[in-house]
Amino acid sequence: MDILSKTLDLIDNVINDIEIKDINFYDYLLNLMSSLYKNCSIALFFYENTNFILKSAVKDNKKTDITFPLSFENIERLFDSKDKFIKIKTQKTDFLKAETIVAKLAIKESVFGFALLSSDSLNDDKILDSFIAICNIVSYKIKDYELNEVFKIQLKALQEAIIEKENAFEIIKKQHKKLLELDKAKNLFLANISHELRTPLNAIIGFSQALDSKIFGELNQKQAEYIKDIQISSLHLLGMINEILDISKLESNAIKFSPIELDPKTVINEVINILEPLYKNKNIKVEFISNFNGTIKADYQKFQQILYNLLSNAIKYTFENGKIEIISDFQNKDYILKIKDNGIGIEKKYHNKIFKKFVHLNNIYTKNQSSTGLGLTITKELVKLHNGKIFLESELEKGSTFTMIFKKMVI
Amino acid sequence: MKKILIVEDNELNMKLFYDILTYQNYDVEKAYDGLEAYQKIESNKYDLIILDIQLPKMDGFKVLKKLKEKNISLSNIIIVSACAMDEDKAKAKAFNIETYLTKPIDINNFLKTVKEKLD
């Protein structure tokens, strides 16, 4: 065992100094094995690229290197063998004057192995056993070293990956914070815009109303007509400003929800009255079907806004002489509200889209209708605020029905 | 003749309020910023004050705060502002000011509110 421990020490030293795949290392191993088995011919084989190389040391210390290409299949067969020993019959029968080579494959996955070439020693069990033992230990030692190297590389890669991940996490965290700040800035900006636009609008609407009220004198027919036009446009502009403000409020959770007990009939009739000039103008028939006579818990202003948005939309997208139905209903404690029109309808592919922000459905009917594309988004959010859900059933050219179900709203 | 103070920094809006209120035979005075408003309210007696929120030098809420500190009644004040956020309305409510009109105002509604407040 002295020889063994000495060998292992030597290998330990050498693998720290020489690269495993270095050709000198194989020479060193070969010399080592030769010195241990003085009376034997030893060969060491390894792969280099696609070549199978046999390095051999014979009794008289004459060295031969043989390199021959091995097909992938051959290599596979060589290393997949379950036998402890592999007999390699070389094509060159004069190779080291030996008919057979007995090789111990160091490790299946490893790049090298040893072979004992002398046919005399093959008959000596003692030599053979010790040879196998040494081969095993040497190969495991080297395997261990290789694994260590692989482990070190992997550890380094892992550490780098962790650092990278930490950096990525930091970047994401920073970006997230930035996005939140940007969103806050956007909402503030929208609130400011709303404020800045309201100030001049106050003068436009106020002066035109002052003229319209004729307190400062009569107007001729054209002047009166133009004043009305200014007012209609101003109110339209105000509607859009309100929508922008509403969405910024909803998104920044700055909206206040104050539910009270109310009779939906009152609110529905109120909204119908407000919008009367619009639907009368198109000769649309608005019918209110009330199947519910109780009270509900809702935010008055917001419930009114839901109705206003849906009814004004229905008027907008219904043909002249069309018909709109508002159905107030309930089921147990749930309050159900439907706005049904026989207008232009919405194609199925747009059904999910229309509740999204800034969506305009471009078709010939809506070409002349300007809007922010926020109305239905706001409506959906307001319905949600009331613990409700909104659904759309619609078919092109046949009309649309918006159904809202408010959970446990009935008092 | 009822005396009204309009606090408004926008020239055209000031003109609008001034014209329609004087037409209704009110005695109308103007203040273009918060400081001027505070000084006028402190040294004069008004039947009604129409107060804006965003003002130069001192904003509307600061005016209210200073008046409250001096124990000057705020009961004759209405707010007419372009700030349409709920938090501004809540702030006004904290000063016990119930009338908060958002610009753009409907002048018929505005005149009705003024009249009710003065009666």
Side-chain angles (χ1 to χ4, degrees), chain A residues 1 4 8 11 131-143:
Chain A
M1 287 314 278
L4 187 61
L8 295 178
I11 291 171
F131 177 73
I132 294 164
I134 292 271
C135 284
N136 267 330
I137 292 166
V138 167
S139 58
Y140 280 115
K141 206 73 190 166
I142 288 164
K143 178 82 173 171

Side-chain angles (χ1 to χ4, degrees), chain A residues 142-153:
Chain A
I142 288 164
K143 178 82 173 171
D144 190 42
Y145 173 82
E146 280 180 346
L147 281 175
N148 240 323
E149 285 299 294
V150 170
F151 176 72
K152 271 187 213 157
I153 289 165

Side-chain angles (χ1 to χ4, degrees), chain A residues 126-175:
Chain A
K126 256 183 161 175
I127 289 179
L128 205 57
D129 284 347
S130 76
F131 177 73
I132 294 164
I134 292 271
C135 284
N136 267 330
I137 292 166
V138 167
S139 58
Y140 280 115
K141 206 73 190 166
I142 288 164
K143 178 82 173 171
D144 190 42
Y145 173 82
E146 280 180 346
L147 281 175
N148 240 323
E149 285 299 294
V150 170
F151 176 72
K152 271 187 213 157
I153 289 165
Q154 284 179 339
L155 186 71
K156 206 180 155 207
L158 193 68
Q159 281 167 338
E160 278 168 4
I162 289 169
I163 290 165
E164 212 169 284
K165 218 172 181 180
E166 274 172 359
N167 287 344
F169 183 67
E170 277 303 309
I171 289 166
I172 289 168
K173 236 166 80 179
K174 262 186 207 156
Q175 280 173 340

Side-chain angles (χ1 to χ4, degrees), chain A residues 65-265:
Chain A
D65 282 2
I66 288 190
T67 300
F68 51 96
L70 253 186
S71 67
F72 184 70
E73 288 75 23
N74 282 345
I75 296 168
E76 286 274 280
R77 200 160 58 221
L78 192 68
F79 281 88
D80 277 347
S81 167
K82 287 193 177 77
D83 294 339
K84 270 188 180 174
F85 300 96
I86 290 173
K87 290 180 180 170
I88 305 169
K89 260 196 188 297
T90 56
Q91 297 295 319
K92 298 179 179 178
T93 45
D94 63 333
F95 174 63
L96 296 171
K97 294 196 172 73
E99 283 177 355
T100 54
I101 303 167
V102 178
K104 168 72 181 85
L105 295 184
I107 321 153
K108 257 190 178 182
E109 297 84 359
S110 190
V111 287
F112 76 98
F114 294 107
L116 199 60
L117 297 170
S118 148
S119 49
D120 299 346
S121 45
L122 285 178
N123 299 323
D124 190 331
D125 281 351
K126 256 183 161 175
I127 289 179
L128 205 57
D129 284 347
S130 76
F131 177 73
I132 294 164
I134 292 271
C135 284
N136 267 330
I137 292 166
V138 167
S139 58
Y140 280 115
K141 206 73 190 166
I142 288 164
K143 178 82 173 171
D144 190 42
Y145 173 82
E146 280 180 346
L147 281 175
N148 240 323
E149 285 299 294
V150 170
F151 176 72
K152 271 187 213 157
I153 289 165
Q154 284 179 339
L155 186 71
K156 206 180 155 207
L158 193 68
Q159 281 167 338
E160 278 168 4
I162 289 169
I163 290 165
E164 212 169 284
K165 218 172 181 180
E166 274 172 359
N167 287 344
F169 183 67
E170 277 303 309
I171 289 166
I172 289 168
K173 236 166 80 179
K174 262 186 207 156
Q175 280 173 340
H176 178 67
K177 206 180 148 200
K178 209 170 162 189
L179 276 177
L180 284 180
E181 279 166 8
L182 277 175
D183 197 53
K184 219 171 146 188
K186 180 203 76 186
N187 285 325
L188 194 68
F189 172 72
L190 289 177
N192 282 338
I193 284 252
S194 155
H195 178 269
E196 293 308 315
L197 293 176
R198 268 161 204 282
T199 305
L201 203 53
N202 188 60
I204 296 169
I205 292 178
F207 285 122
S208 58
Q209 268 189 339
L211 286 176
D212 192 39
S213 65
K214 292 159 188 140
I215 52 172
F216 298 109
E218 282 298 317
L219 304 170
N220 69 35
Q221 209 191 330
K222 264 289 169 209
Q223 287 166 337
E225 187 192 319
Y226 288 173
I227 285 297
K228 280 267 181 261
D229 291 342
I230 293 170
Q231 281 177 298
I232 289 168
S233 289
S234 311
L235 288 174
H236 184 66
L237 182 59
L238 176 63
M240 294 201 282
I241 293 167
N242 282 340
E243 283 186 350
I244 289 171
L245 185 68
D246 281 342
I247 203 79
S248 76
K249 276 187 198 168
L250 283 165
E251 289 195 343
S252 59
N253 290 322
I255 208 141
K256 257 184 142 178
F257 183 62
S258 342
I260 54 160
E261 184 177 349
L262 60 88
D263 182 353
K265 280 201 295 287

Side-chain angles (χ1 to χ4, degrees), chain A residues 336-351:
Chain A
I336 300 159
L337 187 63
K338 278 180 198 246
I339 316 271
K340 191 176 171 184
D341 68 59
N342 65 351
I344 61 167
I346 300 158
E347 271 182 85
K348 194 140 193 111
K349 60 176 175 181
Y350 295 125
H351 283 197

Side-chain angles (χ1 to χ4, degrees), chain A residues 319-337:
Chain A
F319 305 111
E320 285 195 8
N321 309 315
K323 192 183 165 190
I324 297 168
E325 281 175 0
I326 302 168
I327 303 148
S328 169
D329 213 332
F330 71 105
Q331 192 173 43
N332 301 322
K333 284 280 172 190
D334 298 346
Y335 177 69
I336 300 159
L337 187 63

